[in-house]
Amino acid sequence: MSVVSLTSGNAPHPATPVRSPACRTPASRACAEAVCGTAAGPSVATHRCRVLSHYAVNARYRYLRLQADAPIALSTHPGQFYQLKCPVTASDAPFLLRPMSVYGAGPAPDTIEFLYNVTGVGTRALATLAEGASLDIVGPLGNTFTLDTAWKRVMFVARGVGLATMAPLVQRAAAAGLQLTVVMSARSEADLMHDEFLRSPQARALADVHCVFDSDGSSAVEVLAPRVQALLAATPHDAVYTCGSHRLLMLLQRALDAYPDIVGEVAMEQRMACGMGVCLSCVRLFDSDGDKQFLRVCREGPVFPIRNVVGEVDFG
Amino acid sequence: MADLSVRIGALTLRNPVMPASGCFAVEYAEALDLNRLGALVIKSVSPNARAGNPTPRVAETASGMLNSIGIPSKGLDAYRRDVLPAYTRFDTPVVVSVSADTAESFAEACETLSLPEVAAIEANISCPNLEADGMAFAMRPESTYKAVSAIRRRTSHPLWVKLTPNAGQIALIARAAEDAGADAIVMGNTVLGMAIDVHTRKPKLGNVMGGLSGPAIKPLALRLVHQCHRAVRIPIVGCGGIETAHDAAEFMLAGASAVQVGTASFRDPAVMGHIVDGLTAYCDTHGIDKISTLTGAVAIDAQLTDRWLRFAQQSG
């Protein structure tokens, strides 16, 4: 298959650390709203897009490339997502929009890419879109991963469609010359999207890749945990990122106990309606310095510190 | 250009379009200019702190959605300190929505929130998610009268009372609210519903039952607005499945003086701006100078209705 090069293209690389999109840093929320909401006009908009490319990557995943009516690639950052207005078909009538993390933005300022798994009503309908068809998307939404380009080495632990969320961050890290430790988990070798995750020759050259599978038992937590710990012990890492598996997330949370200086971040998923922090449907429980609280995945996230995730949700 | 201003009791709004409580938060300032709306209606606050309901809190249905958010609240002090100021900085009247478990605590909360910066109080005596299989004050005329008169004794602020579509005999309930001193009726809220995943056999909502909203309930809500309009002299704010300017005009023709937009904002965060624009276009098309003349102007041919009834009686 031909995969479009993801590098940020014309998009300016933000100053380090990356976590600085204008409206998204919780600490500057009040200020950001004043800037984005009133003075500078809307920062979240519905964009009419044209399907440039849409095909099956393998038996499970599909690739979608869109051309938007605005230069949205310039304002979209790794970890952020859009709400997709999936079409209504003869058999599926999705009512709500579908949150989907961005797989790539650029190289043209108006192109944006998604990589998704057909799992339900919305994605089934989405899969019927032909090239040249129109699709409305709302965004960009959510916060972004932290990345300091002065760092030396970062680790990615990806499973399933979670790799799509981290793929733009891989490109950012590779473009900055960071060494990459990549652990990829999949049901079988046929499901693994090694090239789709690393994408660029630069990332492939910088990556130390470890693939694990359900089919041979190498992805089991009790097998993978010592392997991840050995990787962390062998080389100093500045950050660890994950997405796509609760079990991997918990594995990393335990592994990071021994490394208080390593930044750990996860992109979370949750069923949501508005995607903008209004409806309060996508909350999850987090622990911040012993204070347990519900946070909105769409708004305070989707990227959260791995250490703050509460494994078992307790509504007592 | 038509005059879009409307009056709700003593309050004049620049246009009849406002958000529905629960489907609005200041985050929408990122997607539309809040100074263009008729009013800002904030999420319900309850005097007692509540965590809300377990997830999943939303589920999709045919032409609508179910929610069981459960009115998360941090109480009145936190509301006044942390929530209210973000809304009162716009040049648009702010309506606070209050929810409580007893008539006495309702009255106390409404008194506390009778602040100069608050333009009106919406008493949400209708929320179906709270307790007892959806039983709410607005389910019966007697409990409606009791709650509204208790509130009326403690505040001279404009008081809007939000009724529920889950009640029968809506005219009697609306009249009870009017008799108890309400300045306006908000008709209505979500319709109690349920959905089950047939593969897992689990309810699709964490709280089992929840409120149905969206276009699925529009005809029902429109009928209730019309019945209330025939029963009371105070203004009615229509709510239920409004997505377009034509929907809004339909509610005004049925008897509403203004409308609230809820679920539609989840599908397009800028939709309320489009509805305001669409109402201007509708008035221009139909040569309407003042939009307030639409209220209750549905063209019902009484003679035709009578003739049909006589014919029906003759034919047995």
Side-chain angles (χ1 to χ4, degrees):
Chain A
M1 56 164 270
S2 73
V3 174
V4 180
S5 157
L6 170 92
T7 45
S8 303
N10 300 335
H13 286 252
T16 54
V18 164
R19 198 185 185 96
S20 62
C23 296
R24 295 297 168 189
T25 313
S28 62
R29 178 64 48 79
C31 150
E33 265 159 15
V35 171
C36 302
T38 53
S43 60
V44 175
T46 300
H47 296 285
R48 173 52 61 96
C49 298
R50 190 166 65 90
V51 177
L52 293 176
S53 183
H54 192 189
Y55 54 81
V57 174
N58 59 26
R60 295 172 61 79
Y61 299 105
R62 294 184 67 83
Y63 168 84
L64 175 66
R65 183 163 172 249
L66 303 174
Q67 181 173 42
D69 58 5
I72 59 175
L74 305 181
S75 55
T76 304
H77 301 272
Q80 288 194 295
F81 68 97
Y82 280 78
Q83 289 257 71
L84 276 56
K85 188 167 192 176
C86 302
V88 172
T89 67
S91 54
D92 294 300
F95 177 73
L96 296 170
L97 311 189
R98 292 298 190 271
M100 197 172 283
S101 58
V102 175
Y103 173 54
D110 57 355
T111 58
I112 194 148
E113 302 165 295
F114 299 94
L115 191 67
Y116 67 98
N117 186 7
V118 177
T119 52
V121 175
T123 45
R124 256 198 322 270
L126 190 67
T128 66
L129 276 182
E131 285 184 12
S134 293
L135 175 71
D136 284 347
I137 68 173
V138 180
L141 302 164
N143 67 355
T144 81
F145 291 104
T146 305
L147 177 79
D148 188 333
T149 50
W151 286 343
K152 297 286 185 288
R153 178 179 279 277
V154 293
M155 176 185 281
F156 297 89
V157 181
R159 182 168 168 97
V161 84
L163 72 86
T165 311
M166 291 190 291
L169 185 64
V170 169
Q171 295 307 307
R172 265 294 149 80
L178 272 65
Q179 299 292 315
L180 317 174
T181 304
V182 175
V183 178
M184 295 187 69
S185 171
R187 291 187 183 191
S188 67
E189 202 153 356
D191 277 352
L192 194 79
M193 292 190 286
H194 177 277
D195 291 345
E196 285 77 7
F197 188 45
L198 298 174
R199 300 197 82 171
S200 67
Q202 203 175 3
R204 282 192 281 273
L206 290 164
D208 169 26
V209 183
H210 304 261
C211 302
V212 297
F213 305 105
D214 298 358
S215 53
D216 63 9
S218 57
S219 68
V221 168
E222 60 275 18
V223 180
L224 188 56
R227 198 164 164 186
V228 167
Q229 276 159 358
L231 287 168
L232 288 172
T235 333
H237 284 76
D238 298 294
V240 174
Y241 308 96
T242 190
C243 181
S245 162
H246 189 74
R247 294 196 312 157
L248 289 182
L249 167 62
M250 290 294 109
L251 180 161
L252 289 173
Q253 195 176 61
R254 288 190 296 273
L256 286 178
D257 275 348
Y259 301 94
D261 295 333
I262 297 182
V263 170
E265 289 186 336
V266 57
M268 304 285 278
E269 295 178 332
Q270 183 67 292
R271 191 177 292 265
M272 55 181 72
C274 75
M276 287 190 69
V278 174
C279 73
L280 307 183
S281 60
C282 66
V283 296
R284 291 184 76 137
L285 196 61
F286 294 88
D287 188 343
S288 180
D289 298 329
D291 179 25
K292 284 207 174 91
Q293 55 180 335
F294 288 104
L295 298 176
R296 300 165 293 184
V297 170
C298 73
R299 187 76 187 182
E300 281 81 40
V303 179
F304 293 95
I306 288 173
R307 300 172 209 276
N308 292 6
V309 174
V310 174
E312 297 297 323
V313 175
D314 174 13
F315 285 96
Chain B
M1 212 167 85
D3 175 7
L4 291 191
S5 69
V6 296
R7 285 179 66 86
I8 308 290
L11 202 63
T12 300
L13 311 181
R14 66 167 70 88
N15 66 56
V17 181
M18 68 183 89
S21 171
C23 298
F24 181 70
V26 78
E27 282 83 353
Y28 276 146
E30 291 175 10
L32 83 160
D33 181 0
L34 301 188
N35 289 321
R36 293 195 63 211
L37 300 179
L40 305 178
V41 187
I42 314 178
K43 264 177 202 299
S44 289
V45 59
S46 63
N48 299 325
R50 307 165 50 91
N53 287 330
T55 55
R57 289 175 169 188
V58 286
E60 203 169 53
T61 70
S63 300
M65 60 172 260
L66 285 162
N67 89 78
S68 60
I69 308 296
I71 311 189
S73 176
K74 289 180 178 165
L76 293 175
D77 290 343
Y79 182 81
R80 201 176 156 180
R81 187 183 63 238
D82 304 331
V83 178
L84 201 51
Y87 296 84
T88 52
R89 63 194 164 92
F90 296 95
D91 181 29
T92 304
V94 167
V95 180
V96 297
S97 172
V98 179
S99 171
D101 295 328
T102 66
E104 188 48 37
S105 84
F106 238 125
E108 202 174 311
C110 290
E111 183 178 21
T112 305
L113 290 172
S114 299
L115 303 163
E117 65 268 33
V118 170
I121 295 168
E122 181 178 287
N124 177 13
I125 62 168
S126 66
C127 189
N129 289 332
L130 291 180
E131 53 200 14
D133 280 359
M135 189 66 186
F137 288 103
M139 289 297 284
R140 297 177 207 273
E142 302 78 33
S143 46
T144 297
Y145 186 88
K146 185 183 168 203
V148 176
S149 51
I151 297 167
R152 185 76 287 174
R153 281 195 289 274
R154 302 279 284 271
T155 180
S156 53
H157 251 57
L159 176 62
W160 303 0
V161 176
K162 186 160 172 168
L163 302 185
T164 171
N166 297 320
Q169 299 189 300
I170 200 70
L172 296 181
I173 292 168
R175 213 171 286 147
E178 181 181 38
D179 291 346
D183 295 303
I185 300 283
V186 180
M187 185 75 245
N189 205 326
T190 55
V191 180
L192 193 64
M194 183 172 171
I196 300 169
D197 183 323
V198 295
H199 302 294
T200 64
R201 301 191 177 192
K202 287 181 181 170
K204 287 188 178 177
L205 291 176
N207 201 42
V208 183
M209 288 176 279
L212 179 65
S213 62
I217 68 164
K218 200 191 93 178
L220 169 63
L222 193 76
R223 181 266 294 177
L224 290 164
V225 164
H226 189 59
Q227 286 180 309
C228 288
H229 175 68
R230 300 214 287 206
V232 299
R233 287 181 297 277
I234 52 177
I236 295 151
V237 180
C239 181
I242 295 167
E243 289 203 317
T244 66
H246 284 182
D247 293 337
E250 205 177 344
F251 270 79
M252 293 187 76
L253 291 167
S257 296
V259 294
Q260 293 186 344
V261 179
T263 305
S265 290
F266 296 166
R267 305 216 295 163
D268 176 0
V271 75
M272 285 186 281
H274 302 323
I275 293 174
V276 173
D277 293 338
L279 284 176
T280 299
Y282 171 81
C283 289
D284 289 347
T285 303
H286 293 273
I288 297 162
D289 293 332
K290 284 181 68 68
I291 201 166
S292 57
T293 60
L294 286 180
T295 297
V298 56
I300 294 173
D301 187 334
Q303 277 192 337
L304 185 65
T305 310
D306 286 348
R307 282 214 310 277
W308 173 257
L309 275 175
R310 277 202 301 279
F311 171 78
Q313 282 161 0
Q314 284 162 13
S315 61

